[in-house]
């Protein structure tokens, strides 16, 4: 009998030892305070037994790092009880949207997230998960970013626009959406910028005859790289010319993702004339004038007639303002 009691006591002690270990899983995995472990399991970021593999750790680190930039914006915009609206473009499996809702929107009791994604199965899966978790103020729409801009059932204005690895021109469509909806902030992580590189390839021979700068994109691998770089520079100038203050930094360490550039734009209303002029200059220099009428179209009055002759000091002074 005594032996039986000891065994029973030992089993109880083992159970008590296991319980705190389960409670400490959030600390062990360095999860944000209030983060739902059930959500992370449903998103397959955590395994059923609460483990985190290397690929999932990388995804979670990216989303958490992005959250650090978005959270202060949400708090500022929602400080007076305003119900913040957020559009997440190219949502994919909606890792970002779900974690934003779980860590911020859920506790606020107001505000709404719209996830926009072209792949119907992912939209359906997100709709089901939101319903299962009781995330009532999340909506998922099966459409392209460009289509969402014209959708008449969408709110007239959005406070925040996000696009995490929205591929190629989807990032430009997200910017166009933000401008159309008068977004107060845009948080963008561009991906697979191919459009400008394609344009550079088409005009390569002419550019090589015109300027030695074309050596920067003569070889195919350089065309891809310089195309990606130029695309993001043009996007930043376009945002500045449209009244946004722009910050560019890296999302996470390069060991986690090669698509690593983070663009944060906050609306100030100050539309920089110098940024508009430099945008036109760069489009001309790289033979990309056609994009001035599509991706980077500005009001005629936004660009100085003699933009190409504007003194560099004047441009630098306004860009520093």
């Amino acid at each position: 009998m005594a032996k039986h009691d000891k065994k029973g006591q030992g089993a109880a002690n083992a159970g008590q030892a296991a319980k705190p270990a389960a409670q400490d899983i959030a600390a062990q995995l360095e999860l944000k305070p209030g983060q739902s472990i059930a959500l992370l399991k449903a998103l397959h970021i955590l395994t059923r037994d609460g483990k985190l593999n290397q690929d999932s750790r990388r995804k979670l680190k990216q989303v958490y790092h992005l959250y650090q930039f978005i959270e202060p914006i949400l708090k500022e915009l929602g400080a007076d009880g305003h119900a913040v609206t957020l559009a997440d473009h190219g949502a994919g499996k909606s890792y970002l949207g779900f974690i934003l809702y779980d860590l911020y929107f859920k506790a606020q009791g107001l505000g709404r997230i719209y996830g926009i994604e072209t792949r119907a199965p992912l939209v359906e899966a997100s709709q089901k998960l939101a319903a299962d978790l009781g995330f009532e103020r999340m909506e998922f729409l099966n459409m392209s970013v460009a289509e969402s801009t014209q959708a008449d059932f969408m709110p007239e204005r959005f406070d925040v626009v996000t696009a995490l690895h929205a591929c190629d021109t989807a990032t430009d469509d997200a910017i166009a959406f933000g401008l159309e909806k008068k977004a107060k902030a845009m948080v963008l992580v561009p991906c697979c910028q191919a459009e400008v590189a394609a344009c550079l390839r088409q005009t390569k021979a002419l550019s090589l005859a015109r300027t030695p700068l074309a050596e920067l994109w003569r070889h195919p691998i350089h065309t891809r790289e310089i195309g990606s770089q130029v695309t993001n520079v043009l996007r930043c100038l376009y945002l500045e010319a449209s009244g946004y203050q722009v910050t560019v930094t890296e999302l996470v360490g390069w060991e986690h993702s090669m698509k690593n550039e983070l663009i944060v734009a906050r609306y100030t209303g100050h539309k920089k004339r110098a940024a508009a002029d430099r945008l036109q200059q760069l489009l001309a220099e790289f033979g990309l004038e056609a994009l001035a009428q599509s991706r980077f179209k500005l009001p005629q009055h936004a660009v100085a007639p003699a933009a190409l002759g504007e003194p560099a000091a004047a441009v630098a002074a306004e860009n520093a303002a």
Side-chain angles (χ1 to χ4, degrees):
M1 188 72 179
K3 287 184 179 180
H4 178 74
D5 288 341
K6 285 181 180 179
K7 286 182 179 179
Q9 186 63 41
N13 290 339
Q16 289 176 356
K19 193 172 182 180
Q23 292 173 342
D24 289 343
I25 187 171
Q28 292 170 6
L29 299 176
E30 299 180 346
L31 302 183
K32 297 283 186 186
Q35 177 71 75
S36 166
I37 292 175
L39 169 63
L40 296 183
K41 288 182 178 180
L43 291 172
H44 304 293
I45 291 176
L46 289 181
T47 61
R48 289 182 181 179
D49 57 353
K51 302 294 183 182
L52 190 65
N53 64 36
Q54 192 60 37
D55 184 56
S56 295
R57 187 180 298 277
R58 189 161 48 245
K59 290 176 183 175
L60 188 60
K61 183 171 183 177
Q62 288 185 40
V63 174
Y64 271 2
H65 195 72
L66 197 55
Y67 179 75
Q68 290 179 342
F69 288 91
I70 300 173
E71 182 190 29
I73 296 172
L74 296 175
K75 286 183 175 179
E76 178 185 325
L77 296 178
D80 59 354
H82 172 66
V84 176
T85 51
L86 183 146
D88 181 27
H89 288 295
K93 294 181 179 178
S94 296
Y95 293 118
L96 177 61
F98 276 113
I99 288 176
L100 284 172
Y101 193 98
D102 193 40
L103 295 180
Y104 178 80
F105 286 83
K106 184 170 65 176
Q108 297 303 308
L110 43 78
R112 188 170 292 272
I113 292 178
Y114 293 79
I116 293 115
E117 171 57 47
T118 57
R119 291 165 287 183
L122 296 183
V123 173
E124 291 168 7
S126 294
Q127 289 171 336
K128 182 179 184 306
L129 179 56
D132 291 344
L133 294 171
F135 288 7
E136 298 175 352
R137 288 170 287 107
M138 290 191 80
E139 294 188 32
F140 298 93
L141 307 173
N142 180 205
M143 59 178 59
S144 69
V145 181
E147 289 170 340
S148 70
T149 306
Q150 305 302 323
D152 56 8
F153 56 83
M154 297 279 276
E156 290 186 7
R157 295 197 175 191
F158 273 83
D159 297 300
V160 183
V161 171
T162 62
L164 175 56
H165 295 159
C167 198
D168 195 17
T169 57
T171 298
D172 299 295
D173 292 336
I175 291 172
F177 178 96
L179 295 177
E180 177 70 23
K181 299 296 185 179
K182 297 179 172 55
K184 297 181 177 68
M186 299 189 218
V187 183
L188 313 165
V189 181
C191 182
C192 306
Q193 302 93 318
E195 185 183 40
V196 167
C199 294
L200 291 176
R201 279 193 292 271
Q202 290 173 0
T203 60
K204 188 178 294 186
L206 181 61
S207 297
L208 282 166
R210 183 175 58 84
T211 172
L213 283 177
E215 291 293 336
L216 292 173
W217 64 93
R218 179 161 64 92
H219 297 287
I221 188 171
H222 294 157
T223 305
R224 186 182 66 204
E225 292 173 353
I226 200 72
S228 177
Q229 184 76 359
V230 168
T231 300
N232 288 342
V233 170
L234 294 173
R235 286 167 173 164
C236 291
L237 289 171
Y238 184 51
L239 285 165
E240 288 178 338
S242 301
Y244 289 79
Q245 181 181 31
V246 176
T247 302
V248 184
T249 185
E250 66 177 17
L251 176 60
V252 288
W254 291 105
E255 72 275 11
H256 293 285
S257 174
M258 294 302 292
K259 307 299 182 181
N260 200 41
E261 190 166 332
L262 171 62
I263 300 171
V264 180
R266 302 289 305 272
Y267 187 72
T268 64
H270 174 50
K271 300 181 179 181
K272 289 188 175 182
R273 180 71 167 267
D277 294 343
R278 278 296 170 90
L279 174 61
Q280 298 299 322
Q281 291 168 353
L282 283 178
L283 290 171
E285 185 66 35
F286 285 91
L288 302 170
E289 291 93 341
L291 296 181
Q293 300 306 315
S294 55
R295 297 293 172 197
F296 307 108
K297 190 172 183 178
L298 291 168
Q300 193 63 36
H301 60 78
V303 184
L308 295 178
E310 184 170 351
V315 175
E318 185 173 350
N319 283 338

